[in-house]
Amino acid sequence: MNDHHPQAHGSRLQARSLRAGYGGDDVLHGVDLRVPDGRISAIVGPNGCGKSTLLKTLARVLAPTQGSVFLDGASVHHEPTREVARRIGLLPQSTVTPDLLTVADLVARGRFPHRGPFARWTDEDHAAIEDALLVTDTVDLRDRPVDELSGGQRQRVWLAMVFAQRTPLLLLDEPTTYLDLAHRLEVLRLLRQLNRERQVTVVMVLHDLHEATRHADHLIAMSDGRIVAEGPPATIVTPALVRDVFGVRCTTIACPVSGVPLVIPLEDDGSGGAEPVAAASRALSSR
Amino acid sequence: MIRRVGVIVLAAVVLVAVSAVSIAVGSVTLPLGEVLDAITGARSSDAHLIVSDLRVPRMIGGLVAGGCLGVAGVLLQGATRNPIASPSMLGITAGGGFAVAMGVAFLGLPAGAAVWVAFVGGAGAAALALALASTGRDGLSPIRLVLSGAIVSSLLGAWTAGLLAIDQRTADDVRHWLAGSLAGREVAAVGPLLPIVAVALVAAWVLARPLDALALGDETAVGLGQRPGRIRLGAAGLAVLLSAVAVALAGPIAFVGLAVPHVARWLVGSEHRLVLLVSLFLGPAMLLGADVVGRVVARPSEVQAGVLTALLGAPLLIRLAVRAKVAS
Amino acid sequence: MTRTHGSPLMIRTSLVLRRRSRLIVAALVIAVPLVGLYALTLGSSDLSLGETAAGVLGIGESGTTFVVRGLRLPRILVAIAAGAALGASGFLLQGLLRNPLGSPDVMGVTAGASLAAVLAIGAELAPFLLPLAAAAGAGIATATLHLLTTRSRAAGARLILAGIGIHAAASAATVLTVARLPFGRLGAAEVWLAGSLHARTWAHVVAVTVAVAVTLPVAYALVRRLGLLELGEDVAIGAGVPVRATRVELLVIATILAGAAVAVTGPVGFVALGAPHIARRIVGQSGAATLATAGLVGAILLLVADVIGQRVFHPTPIAAGVVTAVLGAPYLLWLLHRWGRR
């Protein structure tokens, strides 16, 4: 189900011996990564493991303390930033929505890396914007102020902005957190569509392990600033991995819908946790 | 605990020492013997008069104003959970200045005695800044509070400047007062304010525990049985009251209310009762200290205390801004 | 995916300035000289429109020509140029700080200029050096602000707070300096501090116009980057904006504009704060158009302040800075209230 793609061995975006962090403390302790082209990769791991840090360093938002990130063979941190922006699109976690900004204006700003400071709007710009709005189904919202939209609509609009950048690689930092179930599925469906129809390489940090397992072609599991395992979810998601990465005992079964491993956390005594409660209520009612 | 009590005692001792120095030292050098005589009641020589009529009232004014400012700063920072809140940042000092300028211009009051006018002006400005900062979906967010305070200050400062530019006579009277100084204060002005200050301080003490709860977050405070809205209102109201008294007594003095709570917290931790107590001593110590330095540094004239505190305090604010975690 | 909604044409028109906004901008461009012309008729003695026009063109009575060209025209032109500079500066700063309450008045630029001017007055420098001193003061204040915040990941909040700190320090130092000025110089200081268009010369006009002419094209080029900076640091970096450099450039341009304005008029408050807001209400948040509108609105605000100042206590003029302070305040409070409401 996740393997529709023809072969895509290549890897345009790579990290080598990467160390990075904030204010002197390293969060990443030596990461080597080759992002598979044309696939959807998901980075998972517990809080503080360095998922966002890795993504930000890959997107050159953060500068590494050691090691490098390479895009098409050249170091991402030394290339002109506008050049990099034509190939990597980033949807970060922290965005600011100014007052009175309309959807059309926001999406249009995604065209920045393709326009000089005095350039007029080209046909390609218009096409990209229109396309982004269509794909995210936000055409009807184009004149509305962004800050009046609902959470789900807003996320779609921000996605449209990044899509308008028309980059072969798309990096997203927790694109589904704070969205409800329907909207999460919608966002992931969108990303899959982009990936399948336009061969966009997607790398996203996801909080929900099952979401990642189900929607990603390539899973990257991190813990403590290192990559613990990576590969197709069906292969690498095992109770051993979950214990190593999340410190949680679990059992896995095959998901009845998608066939990928479904993780079921266990209590310390190996039970599912419900029984002690049932037993106690039985005890109470028998008094 | 012993360490904390020790710190409080030390703060009190420092205050006493600074107060003593502020009587003994000044822009005019006086022999210590004469100073002591004057304190014990002698009033025969010029030296005695300088001490009894100028320095002692000055010291008392500094004690009261400094204490009010220190406590007001603690209350404001606690109420807003914002380490940058302080009386001068809320426009209180600017409001007082403007009110005094108006009082001098239109009511013919001498600047030094316009106590109640400054009071009203300061309270009005702060209420305005607080009210403005509280409207809207985010409520009292730190950055909005600071900005609305800065704008209210700037606004009132502009009005004051405009008034001074038009009315030369007022300008002459008000100019020195606007710099914030303990000089030329009338002791009589302090008298009627003392009961108010006393009541306010007791109320602040009562609010200390609730403020501790508030520091953990509104929802946590509710969980602990407190009412955040009321605590905030009470603390802010008291702070305005105390700062207005300080402005009325000493003119606009900046940064005492900002710096003192930080030093106090650094010394005794964040429990409000202790912080209030230490601030009550450190505030006057800082103010009187600045006053003494101002008197000594530019003999035979003086540099106003308010200017010194601003010049010292602004770098602190900047350092706080650059280093500290201020939620935006 | 079926293309049922939207067509290239519809997207296109929503990007290009809407017709309504274009009309308003055009109206503003026409309004500026009209209001300016009216303001020219005002002064210690009122002139008729015909006399004023004659004076501007140089035909008619030599006395009138002298008054109009030598005294009033500089005043009006300074109002227009300084007002535009303030409006543009406020616009840039608000974008940079990501906060609609930002303005050079609160960030220490104006305070630095005032301090320098007052020091210059105290040092009895020649009057023509005053604007230079003020401009230098503005520059130093901003440089200090930049140096202090450049190391930390200075988000808007930190910049704002540091700016307020510099403002406070500079204001305190200004008060100190004024209090210690020799009596004869006090009047000059207080007049300068009130912000006025009185007795502006052609030298002032040239100074501020050159500053504006030089910086506005750069500002225009920066507007697009500003549009991305507004969306957040990470978003801007991801879109290929050289963030550090852009921040510095924006700060420099905003300071030059505000500094030039303060240098020739003294501190005139609220124009830099209010003009961008009004501009946004009119044309929305669309980059270059909003920048231009902010400038136009600023020019009109200052002209109107001048007109009111001339009329209210006729024939005694009131300084423009006082007028903007008095009128700006209620507008500002209303604005804060509205901003809070949303």
Side-chain angles (χ1 to χ4, degrees):
Chain A
M1 190 232 93
N2 284 325
D3 266 334
H4 291 183
H5 252 319
Q7 291 305 314
H9 296 297
S11 168
R12 292 176 75 174
L13 183 61
Q14 304 183 5
R16 287 193 213 145
S17 310
L18 202 56
R19 287 179 179 274
Y22 307 93
D25 291 322
D26 275 349
V27 172
L28 297 177
H29 301 305
V31 167
D32 289 295
L33 177 65
R34 302 165 69 94
V35 173
D37 287 341
R39 306 264 189 188
I40 300 179
S41 301
I43 307 177
V44 296
N47 292 337
C49 69
K51 319 191 279 289
S52 280
T53 311
L54 176 58
L55 196 82
K56 283 189 183 175
T57 317
L58 286 173
R60 56 92 170 72
V61 170
L62 219 52
T65 52
Q66 265 186 49
S68 317
V69 174
F70 294 100
L71 176 66
D72 294 333
S75 163
V76 135
H77 294 92
H78 295 112
E79 288 268 283
T81 180
R82 188 186 283 253
E83 259 307 301
V84 176
R86 293 189 191 187
R87 286 174 279 165
I88 298 182
L90 170 70
L91 181 58
Q93 249 192 320
S94 56
T95 60
V96 178
T97 307
D99 290 345
L100 297 176
L101 182 68
T102 62
V103 169
D105 281 329
L106 175 62
V107 175
R109 289 185 187 184
R111 295 300 300 162
F112 177 83
H114 301 280
R115 308 177 64 211
F118 297 102
R120 307 262 120 219
W121 291 107
T122 64
D123 285 341
E124 195 185 325
D125 291 330
H126 285 293
I129 297 169
E130 181 210 344
D131 185 38
L133 289 173
L134 280 170
V135 159
T136 55
D137 197 23
T138 50
V139 180
D140 292 339
L141 303 173
R142 73 176 178 280
D143 289 328
R144 303 255 318 261
V146 178
D147 56 359
E148 282 177 16
L149 300 178
S150 71
Q153 289 171 324
R154 218 184 284 202
Q155 190 68 332
R156 273 189 287 151
V157 161
W158 278 98
L159 274 171
M161 184 213 158
V162 184
F163 291 173
Q165 234 172 298
R166 284 210 165 156
T167 52
L169 288 108
L170 208 50
L171 270 51
L172 307 114
D173 196 349
E174 302 210 22
T176 55
T177 312
Y178 306 122
L179 293 181
D180 63 29
L181 189 58
H183 291 124
R184 296 168 95 119
L185 290 174
E186 206 182 307
V187 166
L188 292 166
R189 182 192 57 78
L190 261 173
L191 291 171
R192 206 165 56 239
Q193 181 185 337
L194 267 185
N195 170 258
R196 301 296 183 244
E197 292 179 3
R198 304 176 194 207
Q199 284 76 52
V200 173
T201 305
V202 175
V203 182
M204 51 186 174
V205 170
L206 284 179
H207 216 73
D208 186 321
L209 180 57
H210 183 63
E211 227 168 48
T213 311
R214 188 163 154 183
H215 295 273
D217 302 318
H218 186 83
L219 199 64
I220 302 163
M222 290 187 68
S223 170
D224 260 335
R226 289 189 176 80
I227 295 182
V228 171
E230 55 176 309
T235 320
I236 69 166
V237 176
T238 62
L241 179 74
V242 174
R243 195 187 53 231
D244 284 341
V245 169
F246 292 96
V248 168
R249 289 187 58 186
C250 76
T251 182
T252 62
I253 61 171
C255 169
V257 173
S258 55
V260 297
L262 185 58
V263 169
I264 303 186
L266 301 170
E267 301 290 322
D268 282 337
D269 62 359
S271 72
E275 278 157 280
V277 174
S281 73
R282 257 181 273 128
L284 276 175
S285 59
S286 68
R287 280 211 188 151
Chain B
M1 188 57 189
I2 296 194
R3 181 180 160 258
R4 291 183 182 168
V5 170
V7 166
I8 296 178
V9 169
L10 187 61
V13 167
V14 164
L15 176 58
V16 169
V18 172
S19 310
V21 169
S22 86
I23 298 182
V25 170
S27 41
V28 173
T29 329
L30 296 176
L32 206 51
E34 304 246 14
V35 174
L36 290 173
D37 286 341
I39 296 178
T40 51
R43 294 184 114 251
S44 49
S45 76
D46 280 346
H48 296 155
L49 284 175
I50 289 181
V51 173
S52 61
D53 289 356
L54 293 180
R55 290 190 186 171
V56 169
R58 191 163 177 151
M59 183 205 80
I60 295 177
L63 280 179
V64 177
C68 288
L69 284 174
V71 170
V74 175
L75 289 171
L76 276 176
Q77 290 177 11
T80 58
R81 274 199 296 271
N82 178 357
I84 318 242
S86 82
S88 49
M89 306 231 46
L90 283 189
I92 297 176
T93 47
F98 177 65
V100 166
M102 293 282 276
V104 170
F106 296 113
L107 302 177
L109 297 170
V115 166
W116 296 106
V117 173
F119 187 97
V120 168
L128 191 63
L130 278 171
L132 284 169
S134 311
T135 58
R137 61 182 167 181
D138 291 341
L140 209 70
S141 87
I143 202 70
R144 172 146 356 127
L145 181 61
V146 165
L147 273 172
S148 60
I151 291 179
V152 169
S153 294
S154 163
L155 146 76
L156 292 170
W159 284 19
T160 312
L163 183 58
L164 292 188
I166 296 177
D167 184 348
Q168 244 346 86
R169 198 185 36 86
T170 305
D172 295 339
D173 287 337
V174 166
R175 190 172 308 116
H176 284 276
W177 185 89
L178 277 181
S181 160
L182 294 172
R185 306 298 161 190
E186 316 211 344
V187 186
V190 181
L193 294 173
L194 280 179
I196 299 178
V197 171
V199 168
L201 289 177
V202 167
W205 180 261
V206 166
L207 273 180
R209 282 274 157 78
L211 280 172
D212 285 333
L214 193 60
L216 301 171
D218 278 14
E219 281 153 14
T220 314
V222 169
L224 289 170
Q226 301 288 354
R227 302 214 208 156
R230 287 205 187 171
I231 302 173
R232 211 169 262 138
L233 197 60
L238 280 176
V240 168
L241 194 67
L242 289 167
S243 331
V245 169
V247 165
L249 279 180
I253 305 269
F255 291 112
V256 172
L258 172 69
V260 164
H262 281 275
V263 176
R265 270 193 291 264
W266 182 63
L267 288 172
V268 291
S270 46
E271 194 190 323
H272 275 87
R273 285 197 171 180
L274 297 174
V275 174
L276 278 171
L277 211 45
V278 173
S279 299
L280 189 58
F281 297 138
L282 283 186
M286 179 173 169
L287 185 54
L288 285 175
D291 186 55
V292 168
V293 169
R295 277 185 273 162
V296 161
V297 135
R299 277 189 174 140
S301 75
E302 308 177 352
V303 176
Q304 292 93 338
V307 172
L308 280 175
T309 60
L311 290 176
L312 290 176
L316 171 67
L317 170 64
I318 294 174
R319 184 175 172 279
L320 281 175
V322 171
R323 302 281 203 83
K325 284 187 190 174
V326 179
S328 51
Chain C
M1 192 85 178
T2 49
R3 295 187 166 199
T4 49
H5 344 268
S7 69
L9 188 59
M10 290 172 85
I11 311 296
R12 226 174 264 258
T13 50
S14 66
L15 283 183
V16 174
L17 207 52
R18 289 180 196 93
R19 188 124 59 84
R20 180 178 148 265
S21 310
R22 269 202 234 152
L23 285 176
I24 294 179
V25 173
L28 284 175
V29 170
I30 298 176
V32 169
L34 283 182
V35 178
L37 195 57
Y38 173 62
L40 272 177
T41 66
L42 305 174
S44 48
S45 58
D46 282 357
L47 300 173
S48 76
L49 220 58
E51 288 173 319
T52 314
V56 169
L57 295 172
I59 54 186
E61 271 188 29
S62 62
T64 316
T65 306
F66 170 71
V67 163
V68 171
R69 277 194 174 177
L71 297 181
R72 296 188 187 178
L73 200 51
R75 189 184 97 219
I76 301 307
L77 291 177
V78 164
I80 294 177
L86 286 174
S89 176
F91 173 77
L92 293 174
L93 218 45
Q94 285 169 12
L96 171 66
L97 299 174
R98 283 196 280 272
N99 193 305
L101 289 186
S103 93
D105 308 332
V106 189
M107 293 295 289
V109 178
T110 316
S114 299
L115 175 60
V118 158
L119 284 171
I121 291 177
E124 304 204 16
L125 288 184
F128 78 90
L129 286 178
L130 258 193
L132 288 174
I140 293 176
T142 305
T144 313
L145 177 64
H146 174 68
L147 284 172
L148 286 171
T149 53
T150 185
R151 210 92 62 67
S152 65
R153 277 200 66 150
R158 299 236 169 121
L159 261 183
I160 292 174
L161 292 171
I164 290 180
I166 292 181
H167 174 87
S171 302
T174 307
V175 170
L176 165 64
T177 312
V178 167
R180 300 173 70 70
L181 282 178
F183 206 73
R185 314 253 69 207
L186 270 177
E190 264 149 19
V191 164
W192 196 92
L193 285 174
S196 154
L197 295 167
H198 181 65
R200 299 302 122 175
T201 66
W202 279 100
H204 290 123
V205 176
V206 168
V208 67
T209 310
V210 164
V212 168
V214 162
T215 53
L216 272 188
V218 184
Y220 178 75
L222 280 177
V223 157
R224 225 160 268 177
R225 297 193 200 172
L226 183 63
L228 277 142
L229 264 185
E230 283 182 329
L231 302 174
E233 293 269 308
D234 292 348
V235 173
I237 298 178
V241 174
V243 166
R244 277 256 178 90
T246 308
R247 290 253 221 94
V248 173
E249 287 162 28
L250 280 169
L251 198 55
V252 167
I253 298 292
T255 303
I256 293 179
L257 285 167
V262 176
V264 301
T265 64
V268 173
F270 304 106
V271 175
L273 183 61
H277 286 275
I278 299 176
R280 269 195 286 272
R281 298 268 149 206
I282 300 176
V283 294
Q285 193 99 344
S286 35
T290 319
L291 171 65
T293 313
L296 287 170
V297 171
I300 293 189
L301 283 179
L302 202 43
L303 275 177
V304 168
D306 179 66
V307 166
I308 294 179
Q310 298 285 342
R311 290 273 79 165
V312 149
F313 285 136
H314 193 67
T316 318
I318 304 227
V322 175
V323 175
T324 59
V326 169
L327 293 184
Y331 169 76
L332 183 73
L333 303 183
W334 174 81
L335 175 84
L336 261 179
H337 188 70
R338 281 294 308 272
W339 183 54
R341 269 281 152 84
R342 303 173 102 255

